[in-house]
Amino acid sequence: QKQLVESGGGLVQTGGSLRLSCTASRRTFSNYAMGWFRQAPGKEREFVASIGWRAVTTNYADSVKGRFTISRDNAKNTVYLQMNSLKPEDTAVYICAAHLQPLSGASTSPGSFATWGQGTQVTVSS
């Protein structure tokens, strides 16, 4: 059973918007910080955004600050990534992840995340 399932990816033009969702199969994920990462072909996985378990803290990569917003709805076991003003360089597979430890704040390190989804493709055309 997949524990994290992403959706909402697709093809969009430069300047467009998409909202990604990540739904957890286990209720306990509401106690964990969550993150979004992305990986483009031939590149390493990179941090995009994260949110603490109570949504008090958030972190963003410099490349997406002011354009992307991470949020969560613990009642729905879902984390969102609202992406606005998309650029071609945002093209990648976007992957959701759950933190290694419960009751954690918004981490930026991939090594701090233990459970990963399969990813959803986002393609931004120029």
Side-chain angles (χ1 to χ4, degrees), residues 39-74:
Q39 189 163 18
K43 295 187 177 181
E44 292 187 357
R45 185 171 297 184
E46 64 173 352
F47 167 77
V48 176
S50 62
I51 186 167
W53 74 282
R54 291 189 299 173
V56 173
T57 57
T58 57
N59 268 311
Y60 295 94
D62 287 343
S63 59
V64 307
K65 279 181 182 176
R67 300 188 298 123
F68 291 11
T69 302
I70 189 170
S71 61
R72 67 190 300 161
D73 184 340
N74 284 345

Side-chain angles (χ1 to χ4, degrees), residues 12-88:
V12 64
Q13 292 184 334
T14 296
S17 298
L18 284 173
R19 188 176 82 154
L20 306 183
S21 299
C22 171
T23 300
S25 60
R26 285 166 38 195
R27 187 73 180 93
T28 54
F29 277 117
S30 63
N31 294 329
Y32 289 75
M34 301 293 291
W36 285 98
F37 294 78
R38 66 186 181 187
Q39 189 163 18
K43 295 187 177 181
E44 292 187 357
R45 185 171 297 184
E46 64 173 352
F47 167 77
V48 176
S50 62
I51 186 167
W53 74 282
R54 291 189 299 173
V56 173
T57 57
T58 57
N59 268 311
Y60 295 94
D62 287 343
S63 59
V64 307
K65 279 181 182 176
R67 300 188 298 123
F68 291 11
T69 302
I70 189 170
S71 61
R72 67 190 300 161
D73 184 340
N74 284 345
K76 296 182 178 180
N77 275 5
T78 301
V79 177
Y80 304 98
L81 185 68
Q82 178 66 44
M83 306 187 296
N84 298 328
S85 302
L86 282 161
K87 306 174 182 180

